[in-house]
Amino acid sequence: METLVEGLQVLNDSQMVGDMYRQILDCLNRLIEFDYATILVENDDGYLTSAFASDTRSTFNRVPIEGVFERGLNGRAATLTNLSVLQEWPESQIDKETDDSGVSKRPTLKSALIISLPALSNRMLLICASEKLAKFKRKELDLLKSFAPLAVQAVRRSQEMAQLNYLATTLEHQAHFDLLTGLPNRNYYERKLQDLDEANEIYSILFIDLDNFKTINDTFGHAAGDILLSEIGFRMSAVVGDSDTVARMGGDEFSLIIQSPRSSQSVEILCIQLLEAIREPLYLRNSRIIPTASIGVLHTNEKNIPRQQKMLRADIAMYGAKTQGRNCYCFFNKKMESRVQTEFDIESKLPFAIKQQQFHLVYQPIFDSKAFECRRLEVLVRWGSDQEATHSPGNFIPIAEKTGAIVELGDWILQQSLEELGSWLGLTKNNILCLNLSQVQLQRTDYSDRFLSQVESASVDCRQLELELSENFIAECIDETLSDNLRKLKNHGVRFAFDDFGTGKSSLLHIQKFPGTCLKIDKTFIDNIAKSDNQRRLIAGMIDFSHHLELDVVAEGVETEEQLNILCNLGTDYIQGYILAKPARAEETLKLLEQWHCPDHLNYRHAVAS
Ligand code: C2E
Ligand code: CA
Ligand code: CA
């Protein structure tokens, strides 16, 4: 009894599971004389494993269970005399049991006491075995049985501890590794950078973002998206060196740390290899897809840049790769940083600027190419005063589109231009007012209604208004809300123009379907028209097919006499550009047009050319 109490005490005090078992078995050994004792727990794979943590006497390790202990199971106690199976221990176990002379000693057990322990999900045995005794006594079996609850407690405790340990390691793993790809996660990654910085190591950072991942996810479902992400993680890991780190930062973003890169060329080669590995086709739901990615690279020897800044720079470079058309890599340079800072500045100031109405409008006349008379006026927005523009529309409009601020700003532009239009009625009644419109605006369900009511309150005829839509936008014009808005406006007589034609991806099919009446050839085509025959032929073709589709052609950004000449010769209907008039405030444009006559030398050239 005393020994039992002592055993219980052990159970309470013991911190180490191994100690706990050993002491229980020690207590038992004072009552029963045995050579070997152990507690065996059956594993999920059917093996009995010693519940000891580690002990020299735990020779019962990994004994196959089959056929050995059946008689001792089902809660019944049993003594075993035939231990032949037990002697088939794995060789490795036997080898450990060597005597003083170093000769391997195979234990020759003669008998054993075995009880199966109840109340646990896994089968469990408490065993005492002897090399000398032919048979244990009944009394000894009863003693062993009285130890059963103690053993059960001990095993339960050890299992709990094992579970806790498992949980702790799993949590530890999850804190540093990504569940889906098994790659290090952002925590691990940032920790790694910190370690490298502290060790004064040089490293390059690559930011990798999959192209069009959202489309893949939307088309094939999230499960397929997950497969793609794991595959890409796997492919990248296969490309990089052992000392490099590939981490998943979240979503479809990965990052790579290249330790002590040899040169920027070696980083470039790695980028090329990564792009190639990523580009390998794969099948998702029976569809063959070719994934691509954009890679931003920060390769620098500068040491005093904070970690976050380095990551930001690699990210900025990645956006650079996106704008360069994706499926490519781009190295960071300082110019990119100032661009991002500008964007950030715009994004944070824009909402306030709209509330404060820090904008004004300018108008740029568009002339017909025969009589050089003004036929259209393009409304262009400016941020800041005449003397000091805060940001150019080329910079802030895309951000306003991205943040949705363009809706409110666009409403203000329409309202303001309609008001200003009223003040120069005499001039404008033969002119069309051209407003730039963003896709985001037309995607609002109520856009056409709001537009029409604004126009109606200003008593302006819809037929005097033309909305310029960028070519890309027309190509993406599959949105139902957008088409509804277009139709409604068209039915009220509003005109439409393709803006920036030639820069985007619209096909002839899109153009044919689109209810436009005018096509504006982008400035980038005009710029080279004087230098390149090809460019000239291309523009001639554009003009030709536009006329077939009964579209008027406007050439944008005409700056030189030579360009003007060529364009007039090619049959362009309208000319817009600094050569004739720059965008200016309403009053100024009004004054210019009242006194307008085409500069004589241009008229002359035109006459000669035609
Ligand atoms: P866009 O619609 O292609 O407008 C024509 C741009 O070319 C204007 O630049 C105009 O000032 C400029 N431009 C005209 N002729 C010449 C020329 O001969 N040489 C040169 N170098 N440039 C010329 P701006 O005003 O800076 O506008 C840039 C872009 O910002 C516009 O391109 C348009 O996409 C957008 N934007 C401007 N105002 C608005 C607006 O009120 N609403 C919307 N949604 N977008 C606007
Ligand atoms: Ca325009
Ligand atoms: Ca344009």
Side-chain angles (χ1 to χ4, degrees):
M1 195 58 194
E2 252 172 54
T3 321
L4 252 180
V5 171
E6 203 183 310
L8 268 173
Q9 196 65 41
V10 165
L11 205 58
N12 272 342
D13 296 347
S14 229
Q15 287 302 311
M16 303 293 293
V17 177
D19 283 353
M20 196 159 78
Y21 287 132
R22 214 166 304 129
Q23 294 192 35
I24 288 174
L25 295 178
D26 274 353
C27 291
L28 197 57
N29 211 0
R30 271 181 252 152
L31 302 169
I32 309 169
E33 210 180 300
F34 54 77
D35 298 312
Y36 297 95
T38 193
I39 298 169
L40 293 181
V41 181
E42 184 192 5
N43 274 345
D44 292 339
D45 57 7
Y47 278 84
L48 283 170
T49 309
S50 168
F52 282 100
S54 68
D55 183 73
T56 46
R57 307 210 83 190
S58 64
T59 42
F60 290 88
N61 252 345
R62 297 191 69 80
V63 178
I65 187 173
E66 298 91 16
V68 187
F69 302 114
E70 285 308 318
R71 272 190 283 158
L73 298 178
N74 305 324
R76 282 187 295 115
T79 54
L80 279 189
T81 46
N82 177 4
L83 289 173
S84 59
V85 182
L86 273 181
Q87 288 185 22
E88 287 174 14
W89 291 336
E91 288 298 319
S92 57
Q93 290 292 339
I94 296 159
D95 286 346
K96 277 191 206 149
E97 298 284 313
T98 50
D99 63 15
D100 293 344
S101 62
V103 177
S104 167
K105 191 179 102 188
R106 179 187 289 263
T108 46
L109 296 179
K110 288 214 169 118
S111 64
L113 281 172
I114 300 181
I115 58 161
S116 72
L117 302 174
L120 278 173
S121 54
N122 287 14
R123 290 197 286 184
M124 194 171 104
L125 303 165
L126 178 59
I127 303 177
C128 297
S130 169
E131 293 184 26
K132 292 157 246 135
L133 273 178
K135 197 171 185 217
F136 281 99
K137 297 190 189 90
R138 176 83 217 168
K139 193 180 120 225
E140 284 165 328
L141 181 65
D142 289 345
L143 270 173
L144 187 66
K145 271 206 266 180
S146 61
F147 260 78
L150 216 56
V152 170
Q153 265 317 98
V155 170
R156 189 166 289 157
R157 174 88 69 87
S158 94
Q159 283 177 340
E160 272 166 16
M161 281 167 123
Q163 218 157 23
L164 273 179
N165 274 340
Y166 174 75
L167 206 67
T169 13
T170 315
L171 284 179
E172 165 79 8
H173 193 266
Q174 273 179 24
H176 295 107
F177 290 87
D178 169 49
L179 270 182
L180 177 68
T181 58
L183 293 174
N185 64 10
R186 182 182 279 273
N187 283 343
Y188 181 104
Y189 171 92
E190 289 190 14
R191 188 59 190 272
K192 174 93 188 176
L193 286 189
Q194 189 180 345
D195 291 348
L196 290 174
D197 281 345
E198 280 166 12
N200 232 354
E201 293 263 359
I202 289 184
Y203 55 86
S204 296
I205 297 180
L206 268 60
F207 256 52
I208 300 130
D209 189 282
L210 291 188
D211 300 329
N212 308 317
F213 180 70
K214 193 181 171 306
T215 318
I216 293 175
N217 238 354
D218 291 348
T219 317
F220 300 104
H222 288 267
D226 284 355
I227 292 174
L228 179 65
L229 289 174
S230 314
E231 174 65 19
I232 297 295
F234 177 76
R235 290 179 184 184
M236 289 198 292
S237 307
V239 171
V240 302
D242 289 342
S243 59
D244 304 333
T245 307
V246 185
R248 179 167 175 228
M249 307 298 274
D252 59 339
E253 276 182 18
F254 296 85
S255 186
L256 241 144
I257 306 170
I258 303 164
Q259 251 168 278
S260 325
R262 269 184 291 126
S263 59
S264 66
Q265 283 88 340
S266 69
V267 177
E268 260 189 280
I269 292 172
L270 181 71
C271 288
I272 294 169
Q273 290 171 335
L274 283 168
L275 289 174
E276 272 173 12
I278 293 169
R279 255 200 313 262
E280 283 288 311
L282 94 167
Y283 285 84
L284 289 179
R285 296 182 153 215
N286 293 332
S287 295
R288 184 173 187 267
I289 69 150
I290 298 181
T292 61
S294 304
I295 305 181
V297 185
L298 176 74
H299 177 75
T300 176
N301 292 336
E302 271 183 78
K303 283 204 169 148
N304 293 331
I305 315 167
R307 234 177 0 269
Q308 291 300 334
Q309 178 116 359
K310 286 186 189 163
M311 290 168 65
L312 185 67
R313 288 183 171 184
D315 200 15
I316 289 171
M318 193 272 291
Y319 276 98
K322 291 267 182 215
T323 25
Q324 281 171 26
R326 301 167 176 187
N327 186 21
C328 64
Y329 61 89
C330 172
F331 275 58
F332 171 83
N333 63 47
K334 291 252 164 72
K335 261 191 236 139
M336 294 177 177
E337 196 158 44
S338 68
R339 199 165 55 226
V340 171
Q341 260 150 12
T342 310
E343 279 178 21
F344 183 74
D345 187 54
I346 292 174
E347 200 169 324
S348 54
K349 288 187 181 148
L350 201 56
F352 182 72
I354 295 174
K355 279 214 168 53
Q356 294 279 306
Q357 300 194 348
Q358 292 173 6
F359 298 88
H360 68 265
L361 300 179
V362 290
Y363 299 81
Q364 187 177 27
I366 299 172
F367 300 87
D368 78 78
S369 65
K370 304 247 155 35
F372 286 104
E373 276 176 17
C374 176
R375 300 287 179 212
R376 289 173 153 87
L377 288 157
E378 178 169 3
V379 183
L380 296 159
V381 67
R382 294 288 176 265
W383 184 352
S385 63
D386 286 325
Q387 290 73 33
E388 202 182 5
T390 308
H391 288 289
S392 76
N395 285 340
F396 71 78
I397 293 288
I399 296 171
E401 288 172 343
K402 191 180 85 185
T403 59
I406 191 70
V407 176
E408 201 180 332
L409 181 60
D411 284 353
W412 179 84
I413 293 169
L414 176 64
Q415 188 64 41
Q416 188 68 17
S417 59
L418 290 171
E419 269 171 35
E420 290 179 9
L421 185 73
S423 62
W424 31 322
L425 269 178
L427 177 88
T428 49
K429 70 174 177 296
N430 296 321
N431 277 302
I432 293 165
L433 195 69
C434 308
L435 289 145
N436 290 287
L437 196 67
S438 300
Q439 182 169 358
V440 191
Q441 291 172 273
L442 268 194
Q443 272 166 338
R444 298 291 163 112
T445 355
D446 59 347
Y447 185 75
S448 46
D449 292 338
R450 276 189 298 121
F451 179 96
L452 292 169
S453 83
Q454 264 177 289
V455 174
E456 198 185 340
S457 343
S459 314
V460 171
D461 185 345
C462 278
R463 284 170 301 184
Q464 256 194 289
L465 300 173
E466 187 164 82
L467 297 177
E468 297 191 2
L469 308 174
S470 112
E471 188 201 10
N472 276 333
F473 163 177
I474 296 154
E476 286 159 15
C477 195
I478 32 165
D479 187 300
E480 212 170 296
T481 317
L482 205 142
S483 316
D484 283 353
N485 275 323
L486 272 182
R487 202 172 312 117
K488 218 180 239 173
L489 293 171
K490 165 112 185 125
N491 290 344
H492 279 79
V494 178
R495 308 160 69 108
F496 294 99
F498 291 97
D499 204 356
D500 311 326
F501 188 78
T503 57
K505 51 187 174 191
S506 64
S507 68
L508 289 179
L509 192 74
H510 292 127
I511 293 166
Q512 232 172 349
K513 278 192 191 159
F514 181 74
T517 48
C518 175
L519 181 148
K520 300 181 82 173
I521 300 179
D522 193 68
K523 180 173 183 302
T524 47
F525 287 90
I526 311 298
D527 285 344
N528 296 320
I529 194 169
K531 291 177 219 131
S532 147
D533 282 346
N534 265 347
Q535 202 77 348
R536 255 198 306 275
R537 274 194 290 273
L538 192 68
I539 293 195
M542 285 186 193
I543 295 172
D544 228 33
F545 91 69
S546 302
H547 286 166
H548 277 302
L549 296 172
E550 297 181 342
L551 295 167
D552 287 337
V553 178
V554 179
E556 282 188 305
V558 185
E559 290 181 342
T560 67
E561 283 180 40
E562 207 180 359
Q563 291 169 348
L564 181 77
N565 234 341
I566 297 168
L567 287 162
C568 291
N569 270 328
L570 291 175
T572 314
D573 304 290
Y574 298 94
I575 304 289
Q576 176 180 11
Y578 292 176
I579 180 92
L580 296 175
K582 288 190 172 181
R585 290 273 204 168
E587 317 83 70
E588 239 176 280
T589 304
L590 181 67
K591 217 179 286 162
L592 175 101
L593 293 178
E594 272 169 355
Q595 302 159 1
W596 173 256
H597 57 90
C598 183
D600 287 340
H601 62 288
L602 294 183
N603 247 342
Y604 164 75
R605 281 192 172 230
H606 179 48
V608 171
S610 52

